[in-house]
Amino acid sequence: MKAGIVGLPNVGKSTLFNCLSNAKAQSANFPFCTIEPNIGVVNVPDKRLENLEALVKPVRVQPATVEIVDIAGLVKGASKGEGLGNQFLANIRETDAILHVLRCFDNDNIVHVDGNINPIRDKETIDMELQLKDLETVDKKLEKVKRAAKTGNKEAQKEEAVLLKIKAGLEAGISVRALEFTDDEDEAFVKPSQFITDKPVMYVCNVDEDSAVSGNKYVDLVKEAVKDENAEVLVLAVGTEADITELDDYEERKMFLQDIGLDEPGSAKLIRSAYKLLNQQTYFTAGVKEVRAWTVDVGATAPQAAGVIHTDFEKGFIRAEVIAYDDFASYGSEAKVKEAGKMRVEGKNYIVKDGDVMHFLFNV
């Protein structure tokens, strides 16, 4: 699962990507510095994993990860090929969620592609380009579907109605994610089309250091503009985060954060938020050889969770031994949890909960 960082040129995308992945993507004060998308596999910060490590004292620890893609800056006209538009739009289509970076700081030394700072205009520019691209997709699909619908094909008629609703929405400047469909319509006709504006989105307001804790006037404008979108807004001083990343000493980083009023790097919050945006959750395995965080979709069953470790585990699934993370942390060991009668045995229909500590029994 991938989250793609998008935005206009020079809003801080590559700097943010560097903070998240520690990969040094080129960042420069001119548009189109990033041409090929940079991809970073980022560890998901999780205090629960650290606590399990302290209790179990394993040989190794493996955190959950999320893939972050740094996509080059979009400009007005991208849907018609302006800038490096078509290539970038294709890169966005391949991601599962969007981290939309908006410039919410003043700095005369960093040029803005449109000449002045206006995050709402910037957001609308990106939205419009993505909507235009989706409109192109809808029109192509409608050509084929209409022919089948005219022959009396019931499924084609249903699909035509959904596509016409999407077309009308996009023409009115409404993204696909903001339109309402039944679960059946969503599964059958919306999801398979992979509309760019159907992807979940989080707005990242890139602010100056003084605004890292409480935001500023630009952030307030963004929050007001997206209040009906059911989207998260995260405030991040990306330049400051970059400075923190450069510090090798943990204590120095801690002092830096305290000086600006933060209890942890904003990038850590962003990674966890991206993980949730992708509809992901974590379960743990905890043994002396390894304590590990595994990633599953929210709503995954115990056999599906077992299959993440190995497909044979899912095929031959018998049962799962499950300990709630809070019980493991409270009692301090698997043996003490068992003594207290807090370990549960669950079958094939069990829905995994975030933080479960699991052990699978299988037979192949």
Side-chain angles (χ1 to χ4, degrees):
M1 299 290 279
K2 299 177 190 170
I5 302 175
V6 306
L8 292 177
N10 291 351
V11 296
K13 298 182 309 301
S14 293
T15 307
L16 174 60
F17 176 81
N18 291 339
C19 292
L20 298 178
S21 66
N22 289 330
K24 299 302 177 192
Q26 188 185 5
S27 65
N29 187 18
F30 56 90
F32 311 128
C33 171
T34 309
I35 296 174
E36 291 301 321
N38 293 292
I39 299 176
V41 178
V42 184
N43 291 340
V44 179
D46 196 328
K47 289 282 183 201
R48 298 172 301 182
L49 190 67
E50 293 171 28
N51 293 340
L52 287 172
E53 179 186 5
L55 292 170
V56 179
K57 298 179 175 58
V59 175
R60 62 182 177 270
V61 178
Q62 181 68 47
T65 59
V66 62
E67 221 167 83
I68 304 286
V69 187
D70 175 27
I71 296 165
L74 282 175
V75 292
K76 194 177 282 187
S79 57
K80 299 280 183 276
E82 288 295 323
L84 297 169
N86 291 324
Q87 186 181 341
F88 302 162
L89 288 160
N91 292 333
I92 294 170
R93 197 181 293 286
E94 288 166 16
T95 65
D96 303 285
I98 293 171
L99 307 177
H100 187 160
V101 182
L102 295 166
R103 179 170 167 178
C104 294
F105 66 90
D106 294 303
N107 185 334
D108 293 339
N109 295 320
I110 300 174
V111 295
H112 189 288
V113 74
D114 284 329
N116 64 335
I117 310 305
N118 185 336
I120 307 308
R121 176 203 58 212
D122 297 353
K123 173 194 173 303
E124 287 169 355
T125 297
I126 298 281
D127 283 351
M128 187 172 69
E129 294 307 323
L130 301 186
Q131 288 161 2
L132 286 169
K133 200 65 186 172
D134 278 350
L135 202 49
E136 209 177 278
T137 304
V138 170
D139 285 338
K140 280 179 188 167
K141 287 188 82 71
L142 270 169
E143 276 178 41
K144 294 177 186 171
V145 172
K146 277 181 173 174
R147 285 196 293 271
K150 278 178 185 170
T151 67
N153 183 311
K154 292 278 188 279
E155 277 301 291
Q157 287 169 353
K158 285 182 195 170
E159 184 170 8
E160 182 184 22
V162 169
L163 291 174
L164 286 169
K165 183 177 178 178
I166 290 170
K167 181 178 168 70
L170 291 168
E171 285 175 342
I174 301 166
S175 293
V176 177
R177 76 178 77 84
L179 299 171
E180 288 185 13
F181 302 98
T182 66
D183 289 345
D184 288 346
E185 287 172 339
D186 200 43
E187 281 303 312
F189 310 123
V190 183
K191 287 279 180 276
S193 299
Q194 291 186 297
F195 293 112
I196 299 173
T197 65
D198 190 35
K199 297 178 191 296
V201 65
M202 175 166 61
Y203 295 100
V204 182
C205 293
N206 182 12
V207 299
D208 56 275
E209 188 175 306
D210 293 339
S211 307
V213 177
S214 356
N216 56 28
K217 63 182 181 183
Y218 296 127
V219 175
D220 294 339
L221 289 170
V222 172
K223 286 180 176 174
E224 179 62 26
V226 306
K227 65 175 191 243
D228 297 328
E229 282 191 37
N230 194 26
E232 189 175 348
V233 177
L234 202 74
V235 178
L236 208 64
V238 174
T240 306
E241 294 282 333
D243 293 339
I244 294 169
T245 307
E246 293 297 320
L247 297 172
D248 294 323
D249 184 71
Y250 172 76
E251 288 303 321
E252 278 185 37
R253 287 202 300 273
K254 204 171 171 184
M255 282 169 64
F256 196 140
L257 286 165
Q258 284 170 349
D259 284 346
I260 59 173
L262 295 174
D263 55 356
E264 68 171 345
S267 54
K269 287 178 186 160
L270 182 115
I271 294 163
R272 285 198 299 273
S273 297
Y275 192 65
K276 283 183 183 161
L277 196 67
L278 290 163
N279 202 36
Q280 304 283 276
Q281 64 178 4
T282 300
Y283 79 85
F284 303 100
T285 51
V288 288
K289 285 188 179 175
E290 182 182 70
V291 166
R292 181 163 182 164
W294 299 88
T295 300
V296 288
D297 290 340
V298 172
T301 61
Q304 287 169 333
V308 173
I309 298 175
H310 198 287
T311 50
D312 285 350
F313 283 29
E314 183 171 3
K315 285 177 195 163
F317 179 90
I318 300 170
R319 64 180 183 271
E321 295 174 347
V322 183
I323 303 170
Y325 166 77
D326 287 343
D327 287 336
F328 202 111
S330 174
Y331 289 97
S333 73
E334 187 177 311
K336 286 180 181 171
V337 170
K338 281 181 179 173
E339 277 173 34
K342 294 286 186 180
M343 178 185 276
R344 307 188 313 277
V345 175
E346 301 286 1
K348 290 184 176 181
N349 296 325
Y350 176 68
I351 303 297
V352 177
K353 293 181 179 63
D354 187 55
D356 279 348
V357 182
M358 304 184 80
H359 176 69
F360 301 104
L361 284 86
F362 67 101
N363 182 27
V364 177

